[in-house]
Amino acid sequence: MTALLEARKVNVVYEPRRGQRIWAVRDVDLKVAHGEFVGIVGESGCGKTTLGYALSRMLRPPARMHSGVIEFDGLDLAGLDGEQLRRQRRGGIALVLQSGMNALNPVRSVEHHFRDVLKAHARPGEKLEPAATRDRGAELLASVHLEPDVLRLFPHELSGGMRQRVSIALALALEPRMIIFDEPTTALDVLVQQAVMRTITDLQRDRGFTALLISHDLGVVLEATQRVMVMYAGRVVEDSPAAVISHGQHHPYTEALLACYADPRADVVELSGIPGSPPDLSLRGTGCSFTPRCPLAEDICAEADPPLSPLGPGGSAGRAACHVRARLARAEVAAGNAS
């Protein structure tokens, strides 16, 4: 499959007026194919949301893209500004924020939200009659399983799940070819989370748009997506098919995340945490950022940045940025060739 979105060596920094520069995203490379559903997972502060904002050109000061290239269907997004960027939004990339209450204007009804979006991105000469806007809004609300009466309501009159569904419907209004979902189930109870995620996966399957799901919940990501990218300290440390994440050898940080989950059906449930703390992102040190917390760390881990390397023959097992796993994978391939 050809890549719809491709990012190369993306670096994002936060530069407050007072204080130190924070390197939130560091040398990230990624490719997302047409119609693919990819998850980005990691603990709070790893840079996953900042990366999502960078990919959609939604960064605001003090954050800025320091360097790198972001191409959407061959178009360099980093070079767009003003009217060019506004035109790209229609049929381009949409972003669903993690909190519906924060994403919606509290003094505008849902109908006015649809009207604002469609008006801001109307094509030259396109007329937006109130009746047509209501019909379009009702159609989009129906796609996320909400009644047309929701159009007259205000955000505070909606439940958390309803607000998130409205946000998704608004993202669909401009018929995007790619939607970035930033923690869409945050602060929702388990049943509502499941219903919202089912809506997202159904929409992605039926409409065929490319999707990027950002979450700290590895279980949600594994259930919904086809491929998982794991971030730590601003870097992508693993990129593997979702089907293989739960077994086999992976980056030690990925394995540590998996160890934080347990089978609720087991007689004895044991949970393990990840010792230590994430690194200081104001410092750009050498070596693997996970080294101080890694049970497999060797001398080379603190001296050289590990590239993403295959975890098995042919790359079907995914790739991880780990010197130790790369060496073991090479040894496994060599043993297989020798036999």
Side-chain angles (χ1 to χ4, degrees), residues 146-213:
L146 292 177
E147 297 295 326
D149 290 345
V150 171
L151 285 170
R152 61 179 176 81
L153 300 179
F154 289 79
H156 71 274
E157 298 178 289
L158 306 174
S159 68
M162 293 173 70
R163 284 193 292 267
Q164 203 60 31
R165 290 175 185 274
V166 168
S167 296
I168 295 170
L170 287 167
L172 294 171
L174 300 179
E175 300 179 344
R177 284 177 288 165
M178 179 174 185
I179 301 181
I180 299 174
F181 297 93
D182 181 20
E183 307 246 19
T185 58
T186 294
L188 302 178
D189 66 58
V190 175
L191 294 179
V192 177
Q193 284 184 25
Q194 186 179 33
V196 169
M197 285 307 307
R198 188 182 303 116
T199 297
I200 290 173
T201 53
D202 289 347
L203 286 169
Q204 194 273 336
R205 182 189 64 244
D206 297 341
R207 295 178 178 245
F209 57 79
T210 303
L212 200 63
L213 174 63

Side-chain angles (χ1 to χ4, degrees), residues 47 59 72 160 191 197 225 227 249 284:
L59 288 173
F72 181 77
L191 294 179
M197 285 307 307
T225 64
R227 181 160 62 94
Q249 292 187 340
R284 297 205 73 178

Side-chain angles (χ1 to χ4, degrees), residues 17-56:
R17 293 182 180 178
R18 298 179 180 178
Q20 294 178 306
R21 172 186 288 183
I22 303 298
W23 294 88
V25 174
R26 306 183 181 202
D27 296 322
V28 167
D29 296 327
L30 64 82
K31 288 184 179 181
V32 183
H34 287 268
E36 192 176 16
F37 200 161
V38 177
I40 299 180
V41 68
E43 62 192 2
S44 297
C46 71
K48 56 188 184 296
T49 291
T50 299
L51 176 61
Y53 274 66
L55 296 175
S56 58

Side-chain angles (χ1 to χ4, degrees), residues 1-264:
M1 293 186 291
T2 59
L4 176 65
L5 178 73
E6 181 174 359
R8 298 188 296 274
K9 299 299 179 185
V10 172
N11 288 273
V12 178
V13 297
Y14 284 86
E15 296 178 314
R17 293 182 180 178
R18 298 179 180 178
Q20 294 178 306
R21 172 186 288 183
I22 303 298
W23 294 88
V25 174
R26 306 183 181 202
D27 296 322
V28 167
D29 296 327
L30 64 82
K31 288 184 179 181
V32 183
H34 287 268
E36 192 176 16
F37 200 161
V38 177
I40 299 180
V41 68
E43 62 192 2
S44 297
C46 71
K48 56 188 184 296
T49 291
T50 299
L51 176 61
Y53 274 66
L55 296 175
S56 58
R57 283 296 311 276
M58 292 290 286
L59 288 173
R60 295 292 182 268
R64 71 176 180 88
M65 186 167 157
H66 181 269
S67 60
V69 176
I70 299 173
E71 292 183 350
F72 181 77
D73 202 15
L75 180 66
D76 181 11
L77 295 184
L80 301 183
D81 204 358
E83 179 62 20
Q84 292 178 320
L85 186 59
R86 187 192 69 82
R87 288 201 302 267
Q88 188 277 333
R89 298 294 184 199
R90 189 152 190 166
I93 302 178
L95 176 66
V96 176
L97 301 176
Q98 63 179 277
S99 173
M101 194 64 186
N102 294 334
L104 302 175
N105 189 330
V107 298
R108 304 284 279 177
S109 68
V110 172
E111 180 180 343
H112 278 92
H113 279 81
F114 281 107
R115 189 179 304 169
D116 292 342
V117 169
L118 295 173
K119 182 179 179 181
H121 299 276
R123 296 186 177 94
E126 184 178 7
K127 295 183 179 179
L128 294 173
E129 300 294 338
T133 302
R134 283 193 295 272
D135 290 344
R136 177 64 171 152
E139 175 190 347
L140 291 167
L141 289 178
S143 71
V144 295
H145 309 296
L146 292 177
E147 297 295 326
D149 290 345
V150 171
L151 285 170
R152 61 179 176 81
L153 300 179
F154 289 79
H156 71 274
E157 298 178 289
L158 306 174
S159 68
M162 293 173 70
R163 284 193 292 267
Q164 203 60 31
R165 290 175 185 274
V166 168
S167 296
I168 295 170
L170 287 167
L172 294 171
L174 300 179
E175 300 179 344
R177 284 177 288 165
M178 179 174 185
I179 301 181
I180 299 174
F181 297 93
D182 181 20
E183 307 246 19
T185 58
T186 294
L188 302 178
D189 66 58
V190 175
L191 294 179
V192 177
Q193 284 184 25
Q194 186 179 33
V196 169
M197 285 307 307
R198 188 182 303 116
T199 297
I200 290 173
T201 53
D202 289 347
L203 286 169
Q204 194 273 336
R205 182 189 64 244
D206 297 341
R207 295 178 178 245
F209 57 79
T210 303
L212 200 63
L213 174 63
I214 298 170
S215 178
H216 64 274
D217 192 329
L218 183 57
V220 169
V221 171
L222 288 178
E223 187 174 351
T225 64
Q226 301 162 312
R227 181 160 62 94
V228 179
M229 303 178 71
V230 181
M231 288 191 69
Y232 182 78
R235 290 190 172 99
V236 174
V237 297
E238 181 157 350
D239 183 353
S240 297
V244 305
I245 285 285
S246 60
H247 59 273
Q249 292 187 340
H250 298 281
H251 190 281
Y253 177 62
T254 305
E255 295 176 355
L257 289 178
L258 288 167
C260 294
Y261 291 81
D263 186 354

